[in-house]
Amino acid sequence: IKECDWSSDVCSSDLSTPTVKGQSRIESEFLASDQREYYIPCPDCGEYQVLRWRREDGSYGLVHSESTGKVWYTCEHCGVMIPEHAKTAMLAAGRWIPKFPGRATRGYHISGLYSPLGLGFTWAELWQQWQDAHRDTSNLKRFINTTLGELWEEQGDTLDDVSLFARREVFPETLPPLVRCAGVDVQADRLELSVYG
């Protein structure tokens, strides 16, 4: 974040959403910042928390009842079911808290779960978008990036770039002056290279 009114925590530039984990400029800039998140109090126990779609333990903050169709947020401290109409007072009592207060650059993260009533999506609408997004990977990625403000993690096998770099092999410096074609076949544990001249 480049330009901020430090007295009010209002920033005017470098606002964006993250993209793919490990490839996002926003991710690297946020990790170098003081990493502020907006903490709001539970209307029942008063403990402050960050609204999260999915918590580190794998549980969901936002919960949907199949039988009633209602959606609420579950307090991570006391477990009370928080109805969305309580969100207005919770937002008013909230505060930005940095994870690393000594860092010079301020960085902010907030998700669509904080949308004020009447100005964004309701929790029920977000739940439906989440359900609909599972039919198409690109829609799911868009939901995670733009609605939750979180990084997309590619699924499947990934390569460790350092170990791949270490497995390079030396080829002769001079080869006969012919037309050459090369092909690479990617295997689970190696790359098979064929060069034809």
Side-chain angles (χ1 to χ4, degrees), residues 118-137:
L119 296 177
F121 294 108
T122 66
W123 286 345
E125 290 169 331
L126 290 177
W127 184 265
Q128 189 58 54
Q129 288 178 20
W130 169 255
Q131 294 301 310
D132 294 343
H134 281 83
R135 296 185 198 133
D136 179 5
T137 304

Side-chain angles (χ1 to χ4, degrees), residues 159 164 182-196:
L159 291 173
L164 179 63
V184 178
D185 184 22
V186 180
Q187 300 295 317
D189 61 347
R190 67 191 183 285
L191 298 173
E192 291 287 343
L193 173 69
S194 299
V195 179
Y196 299 96

Side-chain angles (χ1 to χ4, degrees), residues 29-47:
E29 289 190 17
F30 182 72
L31 291 175
S33 76
D34 66 359
Q35 299 180 28
R36 292 171 185 252
E37 292 186 290
Y38 200 66
Y39 284 75
I40 60 174
C42 170
D44 194 62
C45 70
E47 292 291 323

Side-chain angles (χ1 to χ4, degrees), residues 166-173 193:
R167 293 183 64 174
R168 294 172 300 155
E169 296 178 30
V170 177
F171 283 89
E173 286 186 31
L193 173 69

Side-chain angles (χ1 to χ4, degrees), residues 14-184:
D14 280 359
L15 302 176
S16 188
T17 56
T19 54
V20 178
K21 185 172 182 149
Q23 301 174 17
S24 172
R25 180 182 64 85
I26 298 302
E27 174 190 21
S28 59
E29 289 190 17
F30 182 72
L31 291 175
S33 76
D34 66 359
Q35 299 180 28
R36 292 171 185 252
E37 292 186 290
Y38 200 66
Y39 284 75
I40 60 174
C42 170
D44 194 62
C45 70
E47 292 291 323
Y48 278 75
Q49 63 194 301
V50 174
L51 296 183
R52 299 199 192 284
W53 189 266
R54 191 173 219 163
R55 298 187 180 119
E56 288 183 20
D57 66 1
S59 66
Y60 288 94
L62 201 65
V63 179
H64 174 259
S65 169
E66 292 290 334
S67 60
T68 65
K70 293 185 178 184
V71 177
W72 63 88
Y73 193 86
T74 306
C75 174
E76 69 178 278
H77 301 288
C78 69
V80 72
M81 297 182 297
I82 304 170
E84 188 164 22
H85 65 78
K87 186 166 57 169
T88 301
M90 292 164 61
L91 290 173
R95 57 184 177 233
W96 288 102
I97 298 177
K99 184 175 182 180
F100 302 102
R103 293 185 180 171
T105 303
R106 290 184 178 197
Y108 298 82
H109 176 265
I110 199 162
S111 78
L113 290 168
Y114 289 88
S115 294
L117 294 176
L119 296 177
F121 294 108
T122 66
W123 286 345
E125 290 169 331
L126 290 177
W127 184 265
Q128 189 58 54
Q129 288 178 20
W130 169 255
Q131 294 301 310
D132 294 343
H134 281 83
R135 296 185 198 133
D136 179 5
T137 304
S138 62
N139 284 337
L140 183 58
K141 182 177 181 179
R142 186 178 310 110
F143 179 84
I144 290 182
N145 284 163
T146 61
T147 303
L148 300 183
E150 296 176 3
L151 294 160
W152 174 260
E153 284 193 65
E154 296 293 344
Q155 302 297 311
D157 295 335
T158 58
L159 291 173
D160 174 17
D161 53 350
V162 174
S163 62
L164 179 63
F165 189 75
R167 293 183 64 174
R168 294 172 300 155
E169 296 178 30
V170 177
F171 283 89
E173 286 186 31
T174 58
L175 292 173
L178 301 171
V179 174
R180 291 182 197 90
C181 296
V184 178

